[in-house]
Amino acid sequence: MAERLSAREIVALVTDDFTPLPAPVAGHRSPDGPLGWAGYGAARARAAARTGEEESVVCGRAVIGGTAAVVLAFEFGFLGGSLGTRTGDLLEAAHEYAREQRLPVVPLVATGGSRMQEGMRALVQLQRVARQSALTRAAGLPQIAVVRDPTTGGGWATLGAGADVVLALPGAQVGFAGSRVRPPDADPAATPPEAQVAAGAADAVVRPEELRETLALWLALLDRPSPRPAPPPPAPLGRTAGLPATGWEAVARARSLERPRAEAYLDAYFTRRAAIGGDRCGGTDPGMLCGFGEHEGRTVAYAAQDGTATRPAGYRTAARLIRLAGRLGIPVLTLVDTPGAANDAEAERQGAGGAIADLFEAVATARTPVTTLVIGEGGSGGALALAAPGNTWATPDSYFSVIAPELAAAILKRPEDQVRATADQLRVRPQDLVDLGIVRGITGPASPRPPG
């Protein structure tokens, strides 16, 4: 179990200053709540005396690393951080303030779920909270959640899992079912934060001492819209390869282990970056690198294949990134490098076709400019799904093809010694792609940065 910080302690840990928001005026309510639950009023009074808070959430305006935000800090010591009607009042007012002031929202969640003593009146607060979150999302404001110990029930299913970025503290219990309501034979390995990251439901586990800096980076990156397209990256320094003479040479160079991979391009392009992970549907793909980075003083979102066959979760994660960038007004850079989509039985069971279709739709309907650079293999539709129509570029180390030359020769029933000639016929070289109008141009090497 993680150390359970109070609402004020977690606020002090991550903010540079914090000013509580005025609480909305409460209407007349029975001390024992809408159900007349005997002893509920006394329990609330004890919780207030013990924690110093009037409710299970403290909402305020704060500054985190120089960026102003609205912070929603849950107090687990107040009836288990549960959501009641008054909690809903406070959360609704905080979201309304965030939209009025154009501020991002940072929920610091620690809750056991809805408050039993208020029955269905408590449970429907989840609809209220979900609506406010949706309105804030539609307003183009980021929501970055920190899930603490524990984050379960409706609090996880709205304020936690529903955020744009989900950060988890080590040792936190995170899941829809709390420890007291899970079946006796439930696997305890399903609820640690590492399990949620592995399942694609959270983006990262962050140690408490790193939380302020991590939140500051995310807020700085996501709260910075820009209408201009991202320029394609040049080749990393030291890469001065000329164009391939034949189609097969293009294929061989793209498959070479010596050419730069996605990480090298991202490291050279961004001064700092932060990664998202997972498709929010139960899957992750380490072969699809997604996140946001700073390039020449502005934020660019990125989705980059690293040379492996892309899994369905990778396509869904890239689609998630592109839609998030669109809501926030941030341009997108994609790097294409895959022999193709994963085509094994497990990929089919995970919905490969639907995942690729979803990414095609995300790119086609992107609300911000998408720029693509083919840095290696461009293997058929599995690569094309990540490419921007009309704004795709290529490196000298790349090729793009409707099908791999070996497979084309096999389908055409050609002998193995005809594979290289087939590669030439397919016109897969970067200069061929320019002639065909598939790519806009071929990028060159990076210029050395001035000293200092």
Side-chain angles (χ1 to χ4, degrees):
M1 180 186 298
E3 179 186 3
R4 286 181 178 168
L5 300 178
S6 70
R8 303 288 174 165
E9 288 171 336
I10 189 69
V11 164
L13 182 69
V14 302
T15 68
D16 300 316
D17 70 42
F18 179 82
T19 303
L21 296 177
V25 176
H28 176 71
R29 292 170 180 167
S30 166
D32 285 334
L35 306 185
W37 189 288
Y40 176 43
R44 284 180 53 88
R46 290 193 299 271
R50 183 171 57 253
T51 63
E53 308 297 349
E54 295 300 317
E55 246 304 331
S56 59
V57 67
V58 178
C59 303
R61 178 179 178 130
V63 175
I64 303 175
T67 303
V70 170
V71 171
L72 319 174
F74 276 75
E75 175 53 69
F76 189 77
F78 193 104
L79 301 180
S82 57
L83 282 80
T85 52
R86 187 57 178 162
T87 323
D89 292 344
L90 297 170
L91 293 171
E92 181 176 67
H95 271 276
E96 289 174 346
Y97 178 85
R99 293 194 295 273
E100 290 168 1
Q101 300 296 316
R102 302 294 304 166
L103 296 176
V105 177
V106 180
L108 307 173
V109 190
T111 174
S114 300
R115 197 167 295 170
M116 296 180 299
Q117 297 92 331
E118 295 189 23
M120 281 300 298
R121 289 288 295 276
L123 189 65
V124 297
Q125 299 307 305
L126 300 179
Q127 294 174 322
R128 191 179 181 188
V129 171
R131 179 176 183 274
Q132 291 302 315
S133 179
L135 291 173
T136 299
R137 185 177 301 113
L141 299 170
Q143 298 174 69
I144 305 168
V146 176
V147 291
R148 300 149 55 206
D149 184 51
T151 297
T152 60
W156 166 236
T158 52
L159 293 157
D164 299 317
V165 175
V166 181
L167 309 175
L169 292 182
Q173 177 192 173
V174 182
F176 185 67
S179 59
R180 296 187 182 182
V181 298
R182 288 196 296 270
D185 60 348
D187 184 0
T191 57
E194 294 82 3
Q196 296 294 351
V197 171
D203 295 289
V205 177
V206 182
R207 294 183 298 176
E209 61 268 26
E210 298 172 349
L211 187 56
R212 181 192 293 241
E213 182 180 355
T214 302
L215 278 173
L217 174 58
W218 273 113
L219 287 168
L221 290 173
L222 298 188
D223 195 31
R224 191 189 291 169
S226 173
R228 292 183 291 115
L237 290 174
R239 194 69 182 176
T240 57
L243 294 175
T246 67
W248 185 249
E249 182 187 342
V251 173
R253 281 171 53 170
R255 293 175 179 174
S256 170
L257 297 178
E258 297 179 0
R259 67 162 173 83
R261 303 285 160 157
E263 287 279 7
Y265 281 91
L266 296 176
D267 287 345
Y269 193 75
F270 294 114
T271 53
R272 55 180 181 164
R273 55 190 170 101
I276 68 168
D279 60 3
R280 297 297 189 262
C281 300
T284 60
D285 178 5
M288 180 72 81
L289 311 177
C290 293
F292 294 81
E294 183 180 70
H295 175 72
E296 296 181 348
R298 67 190 185 114
T299 299
V300 174
Y302 64 87
Q305 293 164 319
D306 79 342
T308 60
T310 304
R311 310 294 305 177
Y315 291 113
R316 285 190 285 261
T317 304
R320 171 194 161 204
L321 173 99
I322 291 168
R323 292 188 174 112
L324 173 57
R327 290 201 306 270
L328 301 179
I330 295 171
V332 179
L333 170 70
T334 66
L335 302 182
V336 169
D337 184 11
T338 180
N343 57 7
D344 53 84
E346 186 60 27
E348 297 294 353
R349 283 191 288 268
Q350 293 170 355
I356 296 170
D358 187 45
L359 181 55
F360 268 119
E361 179 183 349
V363 173
T365 60
R367 295 165 58 181
T368 50
V370 181
T371 302
T372 297
L373 179 64
V374 186
I375 64 170
E377 292 194 80
S380 194
L384 187 66
L386 197 60
N391 197 24
T392 292
W393 303 72
T395 72
D397 290 322
S398 68
Y399 80 91
F400 219 143
S401 180
V402 64
I403 191 172
E406 299 93 333
L407 298 179
I411 290 171
L412 296 172
K413 298 182 179 180
R414 293 179 175 178
E416 186 176 342
D417 61 7
Q418 291 297 306
V419 168
R420 298 190 176 201
T422 302
D424 287 333
Q425 283 185 285
L426 288 169
R427 299 196 66 189
V428 301
R429 300 176 304 170
Q431 60 266 45
D432 296 327
L433 300 173
V434 173
D435 291 342
L436 293 169
I438 305 302
V439 304
R440 291 183 59 180
I442 301 168
T443 59
S447 300
R449 292 182 179 178

